[in-house]
Amino acid sequence: EMCIRDRAWRAWSGMGLLLLLAAYVVYMFTRGGLPELDLRELFTQLRPADLALATLIYGVNLLIAIFAWALIMGSLSGYWRVFEHVRIYCITGITRRLPGTFWYMLGRVVLYERLGVARGLTAVASGLEFVAMILGGLLVMLITWPLMLGAQSLNPAVLLGTLVLCALLLNPPLVRALIRRFGHSAGTPPVRYRQLLLWVAIFALIWAIGGLQLFVVVRAVTPLPLTALPAMMGVWSAYGIAATVFFSFLPFGLGATELTLAALLSPFVPPTEALFIAFVMRVVLTFSEIGYGLLGGILYVPDLIARRGPFTPLSEQESRQDAEKSEEVYGPAPGIPPK
């Protein structure tokens, strides 16, 4: 019942935010008269080299995200075979564009179960990944929010206040409450506070690199000074958090993610370019996810040749050889009371 209420709240909040974004975008386009949209000219400004660079940056970010997921999954399950983490993460990444997180979670649960990892552990690891991802995005967004609003530099007083907010966001009681909520269930080894802080820092880096990818695409369409890079990191973090928390129930984002990104880019580029950049980013992300997802499928070719599909359970000896439970991982964590 609680889960149903949470989903209903997210759906209604997402619809309300979508209506506000739509109204704001209409206001942007009409406040100075309807601008002319020359798609041919905008497309001619895009160079294949810029799109290739954005795709390459996505690949680097993907490797870091896989590293973060392997740390989380390895810490919980004791399974540290990196090759399996890589191909499972890539092949399940294709389902990210489907509405909700059910299909994405189901793919992970099924593929890790064949390796001998319990379903509950995979679900808890995904929950902790979600917490670290949101906290990392909030961290980047809080640090850069004055720049997102068009400020040319960070005022020391504002920066100090932002750092205080970050400290409150990552304070031990709050983080431990999140750990108890998402990462401490029956049969789950305790998670240490410093572990989650490491994961949050890695995801903050991932959000920042995503901002670099956005910066490359924006500069391919319209001039943008290098000093705007930190602001693009904040814009990307705010966009990603909104898309993850509020719009995950919509099929393929249903245009809501593009409206969000266009609205956040409006202080930096004209409305027509902002909307065009949002759709270009969608195309780049979609093709990148499909491409790297197919790479994950190719990594399963040796199993198919051996007549062992990706959903076929491995032998007990093979599935357990990398799942030795170390005392450090499964030992009691100070400061986290048992559930």
Side-chain angles (χ1 to χ4, degrees), residues 51-292:
L51 299 179
L53 178 58
T55 304
L56 179 62
I57 294 173
Y58 179 92
V60 173
N61 232 5
L62 179 64
L63 289 177
I64 301 175
I66 293 173
F67 172 72
W69 168 248
L71 281 180
I72 297 172
M73 197 63 187
S75 298
L76 293 183
S77 67
Y79 194 91
W80 293 100
R81 184 178 290 181
V82 177
F83 180 72
E84 293 291 346
H85 292 307
V86 170
R87 60 183 187 173
I88 289 176
Y89 194 98
C90 289
I91 200 170
T92 56
I94 300 178
T95 61
R96 283 181 180 271
R97 292 296 175 182
L98 297 177
T101 58
F102 171 77
W103 303 107
Y104 181 60
M105 182 74 70
L106 179 63
R108 281 184 169 182
V109 167
V110 171
L111 290 174
Y112 275 105
E113 189 178 21
R114 67 182 283 274
L115 303 176
V117 179
R119 299 179 182 179
L121 281 177
T122 305
V124 169
S126 297
L128 286 173
E129 180 193 36
F130 178 80
V131 170
M133 178 179 63
I134 296 299
L135 288 177
L138 288 174
L139 191 63
V140 175
M141 191 173 63
L142 285 174
I143 293 175
T144 60
W145 72 267
L147 302 176
M148 292 169 52
L149 299 178
Q152 299 299 319
S153 61
L154 286 175
N155 185 289
V158 174
L159 180 59
L160 179 61
T162 300
L163 293 177
V164 171
L165 286 176
C166 293
L168 293 175
L169 182 67
L170 298 177
N171 72 89
L174 175 59
V175 172
R176 285 169 183 154
L178 291 172
I179 290 176
R180 287 194 297 269
R181 172 66 178 86
F182 290 94
H184 194 75
S185 60
T188 303
V191 177
R192 301 175 188 272
Y193 175 69
R194 64 174 179 268
Q195 285 179 306
L196 189 60
L197 287 184
L198 173 61
W199 303 337
V200 169
I202 295 174
F203 277 102
L205 175 63
I206 291 172
W207 286 114
I209 296 177
L212 174 62
Q213 182 185 20
L214 175 62
F215 179 77
V216 169
V217 174
V218 172
R219 290 196 67 174
V221 176
T222 185
L224 195 68
L226 185 60
T227 54
L229 176 58
M232 292 297 103
M233 294 178 179
V235 166
W236 186 251
S237 300
Y239 154 79
I241 291 174
T244 302
V245 176
F246 296 108
F247 301 134
S248 60
F249 69 96
L250 293 172
F252 303 100
L254 203 63
T257 53
E258 286 74 26
L259 290 177
T260 303
L261 186 55
L264 291 170
L265 286 173
S266 60
F268 307 95
V269 298
T272 52
E273 280 83 350
L275 200 56
F276 178 74
I277 290 168
F279 281 102
V280 170
M281 283 299 300
R282 164 56 69 94
V283 172
V284 170
L285 291 178
T286 300
F287 276 93
S288 297
E289 288 171 356
I290 293 175
Y292 289 109

